[in-house]
Amino acid sequence: MTTLNNQNLLQLRFIDQAHIDAVKPSFDNLPDNPYADGAFRKRRYSVVKMQQGELTLQPTKAFVQDDSINNFQGNIERTYENLEQSLLASAGMKRIVEEFRTMTGISDDRDIEIHQFRMLAIESDTPPAPEGVHQDGFDHVCVCGVSHENLEGGELLVYEHKEAKPCFKMEIKDGMFALIDDRQVWHNATPMNKIDDGKPGYLDCFVLTA
C-alpha cells in the first residue's frame, strides 16, 4: 500500500465491554428483512444526529445505493424499521456514536446513518457482504462488533483497490471498532460458517456511516 501509506485508512479501537453488553439484547428484536439479503441478514436502519449528548432520530427515509456501488441490491429503495428508541436512548449506543464522531471529527449537524445487523450463517460459506469487495459511497464507514455465536469466518477484509488482494484481515471481535476511509480503500468480509450445524450461528454488529 505504498501509494496510500501516509493516510489514516483504517483505525482500530475497542469499546468498553459494559457499553457493548448494554446494546447486545436489542439484536434479539431485529425484524425480518424483506429484501434479497433477507435470508441471512436481519436489519434495522436509522438516520440520527448527536445533539447535546442525545441521539435525535431524523425523518425516516429509504436506503438506496447506486448499482455502481452495490451490484447485488443497487438502485433498489429499501425501507427498514428504525432502531428501537430504547436503544437510541441507552448509554451504550450514545457511547458508540460519540466514539464515531470523535474518530471522524464530523460536525454536530452531520447526519449519521446506523445499520443494525444480525448476519446469519445459514449454509456453507454464507456471505456477510453479498456485494463482495465494495465501497459504500461515504467518507467514513465504521464496523462495531457486538456479539458472535457458534461462528467461524466473518473477518473484516480491507483492500487497496477492488482488484487487489486484501492488505488487512481481522476477526470482528465483540467491542471492536474499525473505522475505514471509504473514499480511499475497499472492504469485504470472509464467508461465515456455523461451528455446530445443529445450532444457530450469527454475527451481530453496527455499521455507522457519514
Side-chain angles (χ1 to χ4, degrees):
M1 297 189 64
T2 55
T3 59
L4 301 174
N5 60 6
N6 290 323
Q7 302 174 49
N8 282 328
L9 305 176
L10 174 66
Q11 300 180 59
L12 291 175
R13 296 187 185 181
F14 278 85
I15 300 293
D16 186 271
Q17 189 61 43
H19 295 305
I20 296 301
D21 290 342
V23 302
K24 189 179 296 186
S26 67
F27 286 81
D28 291 333
N29 300 327
L30 287 177
D32 290 334
N33 173 357
Y35 301 102
D37 61 339
F40 53 92
R41 295 205 294 188
K42 293 189 174 185
R43 188 172 190 169
R44 290 183 187 268
Y45 164 72
S46 289
V47 182
V48 303
K49 283 185 169 69
M50 175 68 84
Q51 298 177 323
Q52 297 179 339
E54 299 295 328
L55 291 178
T56 305
L57 191 64
Q58 302 304 295
T60 300
K61 68 175 184 178
F63 178 68
V64 61
Q65 291 175 302
D66 190 88
D67 60 5
S68 64
I69 293 172
N70 187 331
N71 57 18
F72 181 71
Q73 296 185 113
N75 296 335
I76 297 172
E77 290 193 356
R78 291 172 278 160
T79 303
Y80 301 101
E81 293 184 30
N82 277 309
L83 275 65
E84 294 175 300
Q85 189 57 47
S86 57
L87 173 62
L88 292 173
S90 70
M93 194 72 243
K94 292 176 188 177
R95 180 69 190 90
I96 289 169
V97 175
E98 285 170 353
E99 187 71 16
F100 180 73
R101 292 182 68 242
T102 298
M103 292 175 71
T104 59
I106 59 175
S107 62
D108 291 348
D109 61 352
R110 183 83 169 262
D111 281 348
I112 299 170
E113 301 187 21
I114 306 175
H115 301 261
Q116 184 182 16
F117 285 108
R118 170 162 286 179
M119 301 179 182
L120 304 164
I122 59 170
E123 56 187 23
S124 178
D125 291 339
T126 306
E131 61 269 46
V133 182
H134 66 285
Q135 292 174 309
D136 288 322
F138 294 87
D139 294 327
H140 311 286
V141 172
C142 176
V143 179
C144 177
V146 173
S147 182
H148 63 281
E149 184 71 30
N150 188 36
L151 189 76
E152 60 181 14
E155 295 101 338
L156 174 66
L157 300 170
V158 178
Y159 305 76
E160 183 177 356
H161 56 81
K162 191 173 184 179
E163 289 75 33
K165 293 183 179 180
C167 59
F168 178 86
K169 176 181 177 180
M170 185 174 180
E171 177 186 354
I172 301 175
K173 299 179 180 179
D174 301 357
M176 187 188 87
F177 205 85
L179 180 68
I180 301 165
D181 185 337
D182 193 52
R183 300 298 184 188
Q184 297 292 337
V185 294
W186 299 64
H187 61 280
N188 194 10
T190 61
M192 302 185 304
N193 290 284
K194 291 189 284 187
I195 297 171
D196 182 343
D197 286 338
K199 299 178 181 179
Y202 58 84
L203 170 67
D204 289 346
C205 68
F206 294 109
V207 175
L208 293 83
T209 61

